[in-house]
Amino acid sequence: MAGRSATGTPSWLGAVNDRVGLSALLDHGPLTRNRICEIVGVSKPTASLMMTRLLAAGVIEERGTVAGSPGRNAALYAARIDRPLGLAISLDAAELRATIVDAVGTAHPVVRTALPVDPAERDAVAELRTAIAEASEAACTDPDAVHTLVIGTAGYVDPGGSGELFTETLPGWPVKHVRRTLEEALGRTVLIENDVNLAAVAERASGAGADGDVFALVWLGNGVGASFDVAGDLHRGSFGGAGEIGFLPLSAEARALDPEATTVQDLAGGYAVERFMRTAGVVAADDHAAIAALADAGPEVRARFVAEWSERVAHAVLPLIATLDPARLVLTGPTAAIGGAELAAGVESAIRRISRWYPAVVATEVPNDPVLEGARTYLRQRVRDELLDTVASLAVH
């Protein structure tokens, strides 16, 4: 005789109720049994059974009491968010930044680690192990509770069979089967995501993309990249490389803006800022130093930068706009942050002048490390789902 589905059985209904009850505690914080009844819509006996099962599973705890009916105090129940945990990481050529992520998005400390310049001194597994240990220590959490890592970096991983890593910022890291290599060494799930995509996740959650159905995001910094968001879903492309506009060759009109530029990266990336600062009398050691010098420059230099970069960025994003036709374009990244709303307005005006398109161009509303913030946002939901899944396993009889 064929086995019957567990759907509708007492164990299935209990698992569903437990998941809903735990969700309520994650969403609202500590609650009494009566308040759980009101939020979830179950009877007091059912709520009592839910709390008993969740306590036994170790996913909630009693956290004091509050005054209830005359002469009695009501127990407060709270979700335990000390496990499972995740680790959000933002990586660039010089530094690794990491923070612990729990199921409710608690603001844990960010640890920073300077990375070796010499590729021979790089060790991906050692770097990640150090990040887990140091971030856990800073958050006063158990490193063994970290089950998932989300790493944001310039570049992307091809989703094909080889899982090849395409990036110029992680020298010394494995190139083929990078995820599998790291997961086997660390014993944890490892997700590597393009930094610009994560910036778009942050913008969708709490920034300039929160109130629109569709937007495109353009990153201006050492590199130039783009991301496309449709109602919260990112378009990554068939091979993971959607949005890599920095490699695009320039039109004749764009090349006229800078005779030394042949690609979008040349026109609006870090080296372009370095060349621009030379015209302002500042010889920077590299593109990172040039961007820092621009941030500290006087009003005349900044005004000239905004005027010049408005034209450069408008020409750089035309292929993106012509392909996707977004209603809104969000500018983010270190260079875009320097120009702010003034640069966004200049880009919008330039696009309308040189093309038939007219998207609204706005400055980022996630100014502080949007890549790390996007990793936190993405990871928080995964950690939450993992916690809820511990009490929602379906028994099939």
Side-chain angles (χ1 to χ4, degrees), residues 214 216 228 318-328 356-359:
V214 176
F228 189 51
L318 276 187
L320 178 73
I321 295 171
T323 305
L324 303 175
D325 194 18
R328 176 175 294 185
R356 58 176 293 181
W357 289 276
Y358 48 93

Side-chain angles (χ1 to χ4, degrees), residues 211-263:
D211 59 352
D213 289 336
V214 176
F215 71 91
L217 179 140
V218 174
W219 179 278
L220 302 172
N222 175 42
V224 179
S227 182
F228 189 51
D229 178 294
V230 181
D233 290 329
L234 294 176
H235 175 68
R236 294 178 174 84
S238 299
F239 305 104
E244 296 288 341
I245 63 173
F247 299 106
L248 291 177
L250 297 175
S251 66
E253 292 82 358
R255 290 193 66 177
L257 298 173
D258 184 347
E260 294 187 46
T262 58
T263 67

Side-chain angles (χ1 to χ4, degrees), residues 3-24:
R4 63 188 182 89
S5 170
T7 304
T9 65
S11 62
W12 180 85
L13 293 172
V16 170
N17 283 339
D18 292 350
R19 185 183 177 99
V20 173
L22 182 55
S23 293

Side-chain angles (χ1 to χ4, degrees), residues 22 37 44 59 189 223 279 344:
L22 182 55
C37 293
K44 290 182 180 180
V59 295
T189 299
T279 68

Side-chain angles (χ1 to χ4, degrees), residues 4-352:
R4 63 188 182 89
S5 170
T7 304
T9 65
S11 62
W12 180 85
L13 293 172
V16 170
N17 283 339
D18 292 350
R19 185 183 177 99
V20 173
L22 182 55
S23 293
L25 293 173
L26 291 171
D27 291 337
H28 299 279
L31 299 170
T32 63
R33 184 188 63 172
N34 287 345
R35 185 70 180 120
I36 292 169
C37 293
E38 295 171 2
I39 293 173
V40 177
V42 296
S43 66
K44 290 182 180 180
T46 298
S48 294
L49 287 173
M50 288 164 54
M51 295 304 102
T52 298
R53 288 193 296 264
L54 292 173
L55 284 167
V59 295
I60 71 169
E61 61 187 0
E62 289 191 21
R63 194 172 295 173
T65 59
V66 295
S69 56
R72 299 184 63 182
N73 289 334
L76 274 173
Y77 300 97
R80 288 188 58 182
I81 56 173
D82 56 336
R83 65 182 57 242
L85 298 170
L87 186 70
I89 296 174
S90 176
L91 268 175
D92 57 37
E95 186 181 59
L96 180 153
R97 298 172 295 282
T99 185
I100 292 294
V101 179
D102 60 37
V104 298
T106 305
H108 291 294
V110 176
V111 298
R112 297 173 179 270
T113 303
L115 298 174
V117 176
D118 185 353
E121 298 178 16
R122 299 293 301 271
D123 184 326
V125 173
E127 290 167 11
L128 296 180
R129 281 180 175 152
T130 297
I132 294 169
E134 292 184 351
S136 298
E137 182 179 3
C140 299
T141 57
D142 182 359
D144 290 338
V146 175
H147 294 179
T148 306
L149 282 68
V150 171
I151 302 168
T153 191
Y156 61 96
V157 176
D158 189 319
S162 67
E164 187 170 357
L165 175 65
F166 292 93
T167 182
E168 297 176 356
T169 61
L170 298 178
W173 277 48
V175 174
K176 298 286 188 178
H177 306 293
V178 59
R179 277 195 60 194
R180 187 173 71 194
T181 300
L182 295 177
E183 288 180 340
E184 289 176 353
L186 297 171
R188 295 169 168 90
T189 299
V190 177
L191 304 173
I192 302 175
E193 180 60 271
N194 173 261
D195 54 354
V196 184
N197 282 343
L198 289 177
V201 170
E203 214 71 57
R204 165 65 69 183
S206 58
D211 59 352
D213 289 336
V214 176
F215 71 91
L217 179 140
V218 174
W219 179 278
L220 302 172
N222 175 42
V224 179
S227 182
F228 189 51
D229 178 294
V230 181
D233 290 329
L234 294 176
H235 175 68
R236 294 178 174 84
S238 299
F239 305 104
E244 296 288 341
I245 63 173
F247 299 106
L248 291 177
L250 297 175
S251 66
E253 292 82 358
R255 290 193 66 177
L257 298 173
D258 184 347
E260 294 187 46
T262 58
T263 67
V264 168
Q265 174 70 20
D266 297 334
L267 185 68
Y271 291 125
V273 176
E274 192 175 342
R275 294 195 303 272
F276 172 83
M277 291 306 295
R278 272 196 226 113
T279 68
V282 177
V283 179
D286 54 29
D287 46 350
H288 293 283
I291 294 173
L294 176 61
D296 294 333
E300 290 185 7
V301 172
R302 290 167 67 97
R304 187 159 63 87
F305 160 74
V306 167
E308 189 168 326
W309 248 248
S310 294
E311 295 293 321
R312 290 178 179 236
V313 175
H315 280 278
V317 301
L318 276 187
L320 178 73
I321 295 171
T323 305
L324 303 175
D325 194 18
R328 176 175 294 185
L329 192 67
V330 181
L331 302 184
T332 190
T335 308
I338 295 170
E342 191 176 357
L343 176 61
V347 172
E348 179 176 315
S349 177
I351 291 173
R352 294 189 180 206

